[in-house]
Amino acid sequence: AGHDVIVVVSAMAGETNRLVALAHQAAEDADPGETDVLLATGEQVTVGLLAIVLQARGQRARSFLGFQVPIRTDRAYGRARIEAIEASALLAEVRRGGVPIVAGFQGIDPDGRVTTLGRGGSDTTGVAIAAALKMAGTNVVCEIYTDVEGVYTTDPNIVPSARKLARVSYEEMLEMASLGAKVLQIRSVEFAKKYEVPIHVRSSFSEAEGTLVTKEDPSMEAVAVSGVTYSKDEAKIAIRRVLDRPGIAAKVFGAVAEAGIVVDMIIQNVSEDGTTDLTFTVPKGDLKKAEAIVRKIAPEIGAASVESDDQIAKVSIVGVGMRSHAGVASRMFDVLAREGINILMISTSEIKTSCVIHQKYTELAVRVLHDAFGLSAAPTPSGPVKE
């Protein structure tokens, strides 16, 4: 079509998992910095291979590793955040008629060491480069090619009638990404929203139009709920009969935060006899570390016991239309209650409602919620939800 192209690639399927396994075989608690050096090799293979293929077809191409762009990050190995991208070398290659092929998922820290951006980091690399090009005055769109044709109302593996969304707002996509939808990494959407970079999510195996992630428009509010998401990567910690006094929550969550553990939902019960229960959720992979921290603090805060549960899941409904439609959350609770699904925790925002439930009910909850909000059918404008 005559457009200039900059390509960002990730590692080949299964390669990152293979490299992670090698690190674990070498040492149970491998150094994060050296692990990043190892994991970054997956993308080095693919940029080199793609450059070779394009050159063999007569197209000028050049591979760029993260440090060659450069993509500058902080020092948080394994989950580094991009701080700056210098796009001049990429633009110079484009002006020479070449196709720059950039290694996703990787960058370079202030000490010149290799870093990686976490799972799905190639999405973030792509959007961040698009943002850098836009700031340099270039008209850009970021197309992300994946193994699905776009963003769906829910996981088609659970609900075969799930519908592909033509457009979704940055806000909805942020919520979906944070709540378990695996189409885009959340940081890629944060970049896109901040710099107003449109993202076109589409299939690598089809010419079909995908889903455009873009700014919210009035038509998006016509539909109360745009999608149902779920996450089984959840675990719950409950601290029983904690002394109800100022500073307790700060002590607990300060220690958890210092360990780099992200806390999601938090519930504190009404105080009884000067004590209360404090319950919160963390990623399942961080449960052992978080539980060890809490058990160490428990005697200091007068807690009677500490309990944990990794057999939970979070099911959520998302939609910018929830701002203007009454009764959406209560309908969700009613639908789950009719199926005998007990709600353990609840969290809400302007455009989402999340419920923590027992993991064995996850698929059932997703199906009944998808049906209850009519997400299989084409969307139609609706008034307040009827109870």
Side-chain angles (χ1 to χ4, degrees), residues 45-351:
V45 170
T46 47
V47 291
L49 281 174
L50 184 53
I52 291 168
V53 169
L54 290 181
Q55 290 166 5
R57 296 186 178 191
Q59 169 63 52
R60 178 187 172 105
R62 183 198 152 182
S63 62
F64 287 82
L65 300 180
F67 76 90
Q68 293 171 315
V69 175
I71 298 170
R72 304 193 183 280
T73 75
D74 60 17
R75 296 181 177 88
Y77 301 113
R79 54 178 184 274
R81 300 187 74 88
I82 295 173
E83 295 182 337
I85 293 178
E86 296 168 29
S88 56
L90 301 179
L91 287 172
E93 181 62 24
V94 168
R95 293 189 192 104
R96 288 192 289 264
V99 175
I101 303 165
V102 182
F105 180 64
Q106 62 177 248
I108 184 170
D109 75 5
D111 302 318
R113 300 202 64 189
V114 171
T115 58
T116 66
L117 310 180
R119 291 290 182 159
S122 294
D123 290 351
T124 303
T125 303
V127 177
I129 288 174
L133 293 168
K134 184 176 180 180
M135 291 176 67
T138 305
N139 186 26
V140 297
V141 64
C142 182
E143 295 190 334
I144 293 186
Y145 290 83
T146 180
D147 57 354
V148 294
E149 289 191 354
V151 181
Y152 284 76
T153 49
T154 195
D155 184 351
N157 294 315
I158 292 179
V159 183
S161 60
R163 180 173 45 82
K164 183 174 68 179
L165 298 166
R167 293 165 67 88
V168 64
S169 71
Y170 294 128
E171 290 82 0
E172 287 172 319
M173 196 66 243
L174 277 170
E175 291 286 11
M176 289 179 182
S178 68
L179 296 169
K182 297 177 176 63
V183 179
L184 290 174
Q185 190 199 47
I186 187 168
R187 279 189 284 170
S188 70
V189 187
E190 289 172 346
F191 261 106
K193 180 184 177 185
K194 181 176 180 180
Y195 297 102
E196 295 189 356
V197 174
I199 303 176
H200 191 184
V201 182
R202 56 196 312 181
S203 171
S204 302
F205 313 107
S206 163
E207 293 296 322
E209 289 293 310
T211 299
L212 187 66
V213 184
T214 185
K215 290 188 291 185
E216 181 182 335
D217 65 51
S219 67
M220 293 177 179
E221 289 204 10
V223 181
V225 175
S226 297
V228 179
T229 67
Y230 70 95
S231 172
K232 294 182 179 179
D233 183 31
E234 303 280 330
K236 177 167 66 83
I237 295 176
I239 312 173
R240 302 298 185 192
R241 299 187 63 80
V242 184
L243 294 176
D244 188 17
R245 65 186 187 205
I248 296 296
K251 190 176 187 68
V252 172
F253 296 116
V256 172
E258 283 178 13
I261 299 170
V262 177
V263 173
D264 182 14
M265 301 168 70
I266 303 172
I267 290 179
Q268 183 169 335
N269 294 341
V270 176
S271 176
E272 292 183 8
D273 303 324
T275 65
T276 184
D277 290 347
L278 188 62
T279 306
F280 62 97
T281 61
V282 296
K284 190 174 290 187
D286 289 327
L287 175 60
K288 286 185 178 179
K289 189 193 298 184
E291 188 175 1
I293 292 169
V294 172
R295 288 192 183 281
K296 185 177 180 180
I297 295 173
E300 301 172 30
I301 59 177
S305 63
V306 175
E307 301 168 7
S308 66
D309 183 1
D310 64 358
Q311 295 302 304
I312 63 169
K314 180 169 63 179
V315 178
S316 311
I317 54 174
V318 179
V320 292
M322 291 173 67
R323 294 190 187 118
S324 54
H325 289 74
V328 177
S330 61
R331 183 173 183 180
M332 179 186 190
F333 305 151
D334 182 55
V335 168
L336 295 177
R338 286 204 304 266
E339 296 295 331
I341 301 173
N342 188 38
I343 299 172
L344 307 175
M345 302 174 77
I346 299 169
S347 174
T348 65
S349 76
E350 270 193 317
I351 66 168

